[in-house]
Amino acid sequence: MINDKKIIFSGIQPSGNLTIGNYIGAIKNWVELQNDYQSLFCVVDMHAITVKQEPATLRKKSREVLKLYIASGLDPEKNIMFIQSQVPAHAELGWILNCYTYMGEMNRMTQFKEKSTKQNINTTVGLFDYPVLMAADILLYQTDLVPIGEDQKQHVEITRDIAERFNNLYSEIFTIPEAYMPKFGARIMSLQDPTKKMSKSDDDENSYITLLDDPAKIERKLKRAVTDSDTEVRYTKEKPGIKNLLDIYMSCTNTTVTQAENRFKNCGYGEFKQEVADAVIHTLKPIQDRFRELDNDKDYLDRILKQNAERASEIANRTLAKVKKKVGFVIGENK
Ligand code: ATP
Ligand code: LTN
């Protein structure tokens, strides 16, 4: 606990333009939870380099993601919002935890399997090892809750396993974290293939909507979204394209399945898609306005980054010191 509050940690990779999948699956919950928890929201650039990144773009995107956090309504004075590589404890604990994680455990990670088969070039050890770095992120802050989309659930489970293993060996060093997912929209699907997760690093720009897409683009992408040859708007697994658009709609309008299905009872797909577009445009408008304001304020962002990296380091270093002592490293003047 920090200031008597339970702790939240979560992060997003600056590996592209944030999508409404990132917003609905993660950021929206962060905004809702921020008042009840001490929260840390990280821009995980060290995770992003597990696949090839262009250095100048990565630098630019890292700042952009932080601006999008703020623009989405996360308070940088109350929450600790920072860039992962600016807090060296992440890499240090990541290495130590590597030595307490089994190859077999990493081999089971579905995200690695998907990402490595998608790549046609050599896959790096970093990509394979990425869940251990994620475990370090979470465990450094004695995190209670990790608000994420469904694809990250398995990584939180492995984090719990690693933490329990370490605690059993050395006493209660780590808090055991829990995953927290939204009821609807924990897995927003690609607009071009509703059996695949919407992803910011997808090659097809029409498969996702970014938080900075203008209204015309949003309308266009949603109108092109793959659905089915039926005409009925119903929330069912048999209609994955429609179900996905309903998830997006329900999340943007805070409505239930029954409310949404009733709303579109006698609508054709064209009218339905237009309503979904209107809901998305309405949700993103305040975020885009605030983002543009922040765009002109570089000093403000630099100050936030510096202050928050210091706050994060202070907490992280406390856990790291305990871990180093337990594993037998020589620290300071101890004999
Ligand atoms: P990449 O394509 O670069 O792997 P990504 O778009 O999958 O990235 P991440 O940075 O891996 O995004 O994820 C950040 C957060 O957003 C995680 O909590 C993740 O679960 C959530 N998230 C990502 N995509 C979706 C999605 N399509 N639906 C719901 N949540 C999502
Ligand atoms: N692996 C996550 C991003 C991430 C994360 C974290 C999320 C890295 N560290 C810690 C929650 C907590 C992803 O790529 N979606």
Side-chain angles (χ1 to χ4, degrees):
M1 294 222 200
I2 306 172
N3 310 327
D4 291 335
K5 283 189 172 173
K6 288 204 167 187
I7 298 167
I8 280 184
F9 185 97
S10 200
I12 298 184
Q13 303 181 58
S15 46
N17 299 315
L18 295 206
T19 70
I20 51 164
N22 298 130
Y23 181 75
I24 294 172
I27 300 176
K28 188 165 183 268
N29 267 342
W30 303 357
V31 175
E32 281 163 17
L33 294 165
Q34 66 177 329
N35 292 324
D36 298 327
Y37 290 80
Q38 171 61 64
S39 309
L40 295 111
F41 300 120
C42 191
V43 179
V44 289
D45 54 348
M46 287 160 63
H47 277 89
I49 61 162
T50 56
V51 299
K52 207 168 167 42
Q53 304 290 342
E54 207 278 303
T57 312
L58 181 64
R59 213 181 327 273
K60 181 164 161 266
K61 290 286 165 208
S62 294
R63 297 174 71 93
E64 187 177 300
V65 172
L66 193 87
K67 273 189 276 178
L68 280 169
Y69 284 179
I70 302 172
S72 302
L74 296 168
D75 182 344
E77 306 291 338
K78 250 194 283 172
N79 305 307
I80 303 178
M81 286 147 66
F82 66 105
I83 296 179
Q84 187 185 29
S85 62
Q86 298 191 335
V87 178
H90 290 251
E92 289 187 72
L93 183 62
W95 176 258
I96 296 173
L97 295 182
N98 269 331
C99 303
Y100 294 82
T101 307
Y102 303 124
M103 292 292 287
E105 289 176 312
M106 290 297 99
N107 270 325
R108 287 202 309 272
M109 296 294 112
T110 49
Q111 190 184 54
F112 171 73
K113 285 183 207 160
E114 280 162 20
K115 284 201 176 182
S116 57
T117 42
K118 212 177 78 184
Q119 289 179 340
N120 44 13
I121 44 169
N122 273 338
T123 299
T124 69
V125 179
L127 185 66
F128 179 70
D129 193 30
Y130 145 133
V132 180
L133 181 60
M134 179 161 161
D137 299 342
I138 297 170
L139 298 177
L140 272 175
Y141 300 96
Q142 307 296 345
T143 303
D144 297 284
L145 208 63
V146 189
I148 39 155
E150 198 199 66
D151 61 308
Q152 296 302 314
K153 194 165 161 247
Q154 199 183 28
H155 295 160
V156 177
E157 278 158 14
I158 196 77
T159 301
R160 291 167 60 91
D161 293 344
I162 298 170
E164 275 164 10
R165 180 171 309 140
F166 203 89
N167 285 355
N168 285 336
L169 279 168
Y170 300 114
S171 80
E172 300 298 306
I173 300 290
F174 297 128
T175 301
I176 309 298
E178 262 179 59
Y180 182 94
M181 282 175 292
K183 247 199 225 110
F184 297 105
R187 190 173 176 85
I188 298 294
M189 308 310 274
S190 153
L191 298 179
Q192 289 302 307
D193 176 359
T195 62
K196 224 175 72 181
K197 189 186 80 116
M198 180 183 285
S199 164
K200 64 172 120 66
S201 44
D202 199 310
D203 294 333
D204 181 358
E205 216 210 310
N206 287 320
S207 72
Y208 55 75
I209 292 171
T210 82
L211 299 190
L212 298 176
D213 279 352
D214 64 38
K217 221 177 202 177
I218 296 173
E219 270 182 23
R220 188 160 30 86
K221 288 180 179 177
L222 281 166
K223 283 204 175 120
R224 285 191 192 164
V226 172
T227 49
D228 52 52
S229 52
D230 193 23
T231 53
E232 199 189 359
V233 177
R234 211 155 40 84
Y235 193 78
T236 163
K237 274 205 298 283
E238 275 87 66
K239 294 161 89 59
I242 295 295
K243 179 176 175 293
N244 190 38
L245 296 184
L246 278 168
D247 272 328
I248 295 172
Y249 176 84
M250 291 187 303
S251 178
C252 288
T253 55
N254 288 319
T255 45
T256 62
V257 176
T258 322
Q259 284 170 329
E261 279 184 340
N262 283 340
R263 169 76 191 77
F264 299 113
K265 209 169 213 141
N266 299 309
C267 273
Y269 284 178
E271 196 182 336
F272 168 55
K273 284 177 165 179
Q274 183 60 52
E275 289 267 338
V276 180
D278 291 344
V280 173
I281 293 166
H282 182 75
T283 303
L284 297 187
K285 167 99 178 41
I287 299 176
Q288 298 181 349
D289 290 347
R290 178 97 179 91
F291 181 84
R292 264 172 228 122
E293 282 167 32
L294 288 165
D295 233 6
N296 304 321
D297 204 345
K298 187 176 168 297
D299 292 348
Y300 171 70
L301 204 74
D302 285 340
R303 185 169 57 79
I304 297 289
L305 275 176
K306 184 164 181 297
Q307 268 176 7
N308 281 334
E310 281 165 10
R311 288 165 77 198
S313 289
E314 203 184 301
I315 308 167
N317 287 339
R318 265 184 255 153
T319 303
L320 186 64
K322 282 192 216 164
V323 169
K324 284 182 171 174
K325 192 164 172 211
K326 290 290 177 188
V327 301
F329 291 172
V330 175
I331 17 177
E333 61 285 354
N334 67 358
K335 306 258 155 43

